[in-house]
Amino acid sequence: MTLPIDPSQIDPDEIGATQTTLEMDHEEAIEHVREVFTDAGFGVPVEFSPSELLNEKVDADRDPYYVLGACNPAVADRALEATDGKMGALFPCNVVVWEKEPGRQRVYHVSIMRIARLVGIAPDDEEMADIVAETGELVDAAFEAL
């Protein structure tokens, strides 16, 4: 299969890649990220630890890694409508927290709204542009508060 885009040529801004480092322990960082994203207008309906799962199931010996599935219901509803329901395949908007070293956590997010447009799940129209802009503003506010 040939990819329609060359991943090595993608500018992180094109996919809304945002990251920061927090100087705190892993559990504290998870709580902080959850609180900040909630304050920014997201709910967090899904959470899990891939590192715990993989360490248990395949003895992966992974450092702490946690996924917070964030969602703004009003924007999610608009995105589902704008994509004839296809956008749900990428829901929720994940924010990941992984331990770079004890006391130092990386927080990372990419815009599923931008990615959906790049891969053809979402239309490249004014409504999706508005949704991309709105989610970008919400995520930017959250990362500024981190």
Side-chain angles (χ1 to χ4, degrees), residues 83-122:
T83 63
D84 294 325
K86 295 175 188 168
M87 193 70 208
L90 297 176
F91 282 173
C93 302
N94 290 328
V95 181
V96 295
V97 180
W98 73 86
E99 187 171 74
K100 296 296 288 179
E101 60 188 62
R104 192 173 167 94
Q105 315 303 317
R106 175 68 45 92
V107 181
Y108 181 77
H109 167 79
V110 294
S111 169
I112 63 168
M113 303 301 179
R114 288 177 183 263
I115 290 171
R117 286 171 65 191
L118 284 174
V119 299
I121 291 173

Side-chain angles (χ1 to χ4, degrees), residues 55-73:
N55 290 346
E56 176 186 320
K57 299 291 183 184
V58 296
D59 198 25
D61 194 31
R62 292 205 168 265
D63 291 333
Y65 189 100
Y66 201 82
V67 177
L68 295 140
C71 179
N72 178 288

Side-chain angles (χ1 to χ4, degrees), residues 3-19 108-111 114-120:
L3 294 175
I5 54 178
D6 179 355
S8 68
Q9 299 300 310
I10 295 176
D11 180 335
D13 290 338
E14 288 181 49
I15 59 169
T18 309
Q19 60 186 330
Y108 181 77
H109 167 79
V110 294
S111 169
R114 288 177 183 263
I115 290 171
R117 286 171 65 191
L118 284 174
V119 299

